Amino acid sequence: MCREPVGEGAKRVTTAGVESDGEAMAGVIAPAPANPTLAERARRFLATQVAAQTLRWRLWAPVAFGGGCAVYFALKSEPPAWLLIAGAMLASGLWIGARRLALTRAWTLGLMLLACLAGGIAVAKLRTDAVAAPIAPAMAAPTVVEGWVIDVDSPGAAGPRVVIAPVRIRGLSPEATPVRLRATVRGAAPEPGQAVRLFAILNPPPAPASPGAYDFGRNAYFQGLGGVAFSLGETRPAYLPPPPWKVRAAMAVNGLRYDLAKRIVARQGERTGGVAAAMTTGHEAWLDPAQVDVMRDSGLAHILSISGLHMAVVGGFAFFLVRLLVAAWPWLALRVSGKKVAAVAGLLAVGTYLVVSGHPPPAERAAITASIAFIAILLDRQAISMHALAVAAFAVLMLQPEAIVTPGFQMSFAATAALVALAEAWPARPREISTPWPILIVQRAGAWVGIAVMASLVAGAATGPFAMQHFNRTAMYGLLANLATAPLSDFLIMPALALGALLEPLGLGAPFLWLAGQGIGMMLAIGAWTAGLPGAVKTVASAPGFVLPVAFLGVLFCCLWRGRLRWLGLPFAAAVMLCPRAPTPDLWIGDGGTNAAFVERGQAVVMRPGVRQFAIDVWSRRRGVAPVDRATEGWACARFSCAPVEPGAGPMAMWWGRRAPSPEQIDVLCRSAPMVSLRASIAVLPPSCEGRLVLDGTDHARGGAVELWRDGPASANRWRAVWAAEVRGDRPWSRLGDPEVSDTGG
């Protein structure tokens, strides 16, 4: 047997590193115990697991940074900027000092995460101050709005909607005039570039539909939308001075987008053309609401919203097409790097698609992620890796820290992290040698199906907690629908739409748009069939607010940790499913006291059916109860009020008129029910309201929507209330307005 000679000064590599000859020999002479104790085995296992994370610790930096952003948005009051900046500078200084002093990894890692956490809080505050703009007040009387139509927005139940850059608003000074408004208009929507005059009711952006629900006002704040308007008459032309160049540029780009959307719909018809226009330009004006419901129930609604899938397909299609063309031209292939030329083409495709789609925030985040992958190729780095994803997350959160509280960001990055982790763990396939092509085709097809199934399962599992918490619905056959439509959308619909949109201005896009329309028709048929299956949709009540961050960290731990300990994150990732739900409220009253519902036998009985339906749907889904219309028997209802007249008909009475009721009317309401909601403010209550819970306009204006639980026996008539304003806090976007002027309610 040959043995490596060990001479004087020789070194030997061991599991502990490089040792001298004497140390190595000592290790050989002193063998490990034959039967190590359980504690020793556990210590060795943990040491091995920690050692495997040597190059993975830095991946937790964007997680800590995002956690800092989330902490800022969870605050109930606005902190001073100087304090947050000072905290971030102090934490960063401590981290840099620890590195200079060469402290242990535990110290430097902990201080790095602390610095990222503090930096996330500070960046979120700076972003909030940077985008600050006037917010419209709740104006009691209609006013006149004059401005330029910037873009056509998705329609609501009340009619078409447009985004307006107001020039003048009667009753508001120029300093108090919002930069952008979203207006619901009568008749046909005006097109981008038109100057319009509206006689409308003006309001700040809508508040959450219930305590803890999604905050539309916060989303509007960071999009620059300072208010919503509801037009009371036909849109008229206005005569305004020329707009600033930024407004002219935005109108020009959006005008081209809108024209392209109209061309696509004209080519394909509204059924498939509406879907194609939404996937290409982001315009949803031609989408059938019933069609959208089918897509949502089948788990395919994500295809309608321009996000990571669309950017990946468009950028990837451009990348592989250009690389194929370079490889097909030997003269060029010998002189340039086909991979890098294709990466440049991918960057251009992503940038062009971002402009054509109207750069909504989800598309911007997806474009940043895709661009970093292509830049990694240009820098000879691995394009798809956890480190590239970490850089993308950092870039997105630095530019848009508010993304951390949006469902799109959470679901997108959770799914991407899970898919990258799957790619890391997927076994390498050995290269076949001299395999007959029929067998090779079967092997490749089987491998593709296996990868597609695993990718859908992993991505669905990673995004499941967020879909349950935010949307309160689970498409039970979503995996089946996505597996069936993935080849259509990835290899037919999106590439054909990209080529069709590119060639349509030249009049050459018809063949590709027709091909995309055929694929969309098949996709809609699959969605309709899937949505029609028994039990296609399951409604899940929202878990307490603290559970979703726990689930997010659990998903990330499963993805980022290398080794068998990653499975410790599974129960935390499933926290949204496992955590018990809070008791269902006995009553819900919408913001402003315009509608209400009470829970009876597991159903939400709606006091005013059809009024503010969106808010009712949001609240009932969050609480896991099905909304039903109030019975007509046992109730005495008039134009502005409704009260039970039979025992057991209901626990509340309502007055939803703007005008205050008379003392006699209040007396009737208080005698009929233990709880009374009044939209108007009341100075003096009659004696019959003694012992009754009465909420009037002052309470609703201060607190917004409210949920109430009985606190003790019904005879005591004690209630515990949680107001939306309490959960929302006093933040720059927390202005309340008239709930009847809301673009979320349709």
Side-chain angles (χ1 to χ4, degrees), residues 448-472:
W448 184 88
V449 171
I451 292 173
V453 171
M454 283 301 300
S456 296
L457 283 172
V458 168
T463 57
F466 308 98
M468 291 180 186
Q469 185 73 357
H470 291 297
F471 307 118
N472 306 110

Side-chain angles (χ1 to χ4, degrees), residues 607-686:
M607 293 289 290
R608 300 178 66 194
V611 176
R612 305 215 61 226
Q613 190 62 42
F614 180 83
I616 293 169
D617 292 341
V618 169
W619 173 74
S620 60
R621 285 201 308 268
R622 279 179 51 79
R623 291 306 181 182
V625 291
V628 296
D629 295 347
R630 174 186 45 78
T632 55
E633 296 80 9
W635 292 84
C637 298
R639 183 179 180 185
F640 297 117
S641 66
C642 203
V645 293
E646 293 182 2
M652 70 174 301
M654 279 193 73
W655 176 274
W656 57 81
R658 294 177 182 271
R659 177 182 57 84
S662 65
E664 293 77 15
Q665 291 171 322
I666 299 177
D667 178 73
V668 171
L669 294 174
C670 284
R671 291 180 184 276
S672 65
M675 190 275 153
V676 178
S677 172
L678 305 171
R679 183 176 181 181
S681 297
I682 305 299
V684 179
L685 294 174

Side-chain angles (χ1 to χ4, degrees), residues 56 93 195 202 232 239 273 339 368 403 438 501 680 704 741:
R56 309 281 284 191
L202 189 63
L232 301 178
Y239 302 95
K339 189 175 182 180
I368 292 172
V741 185

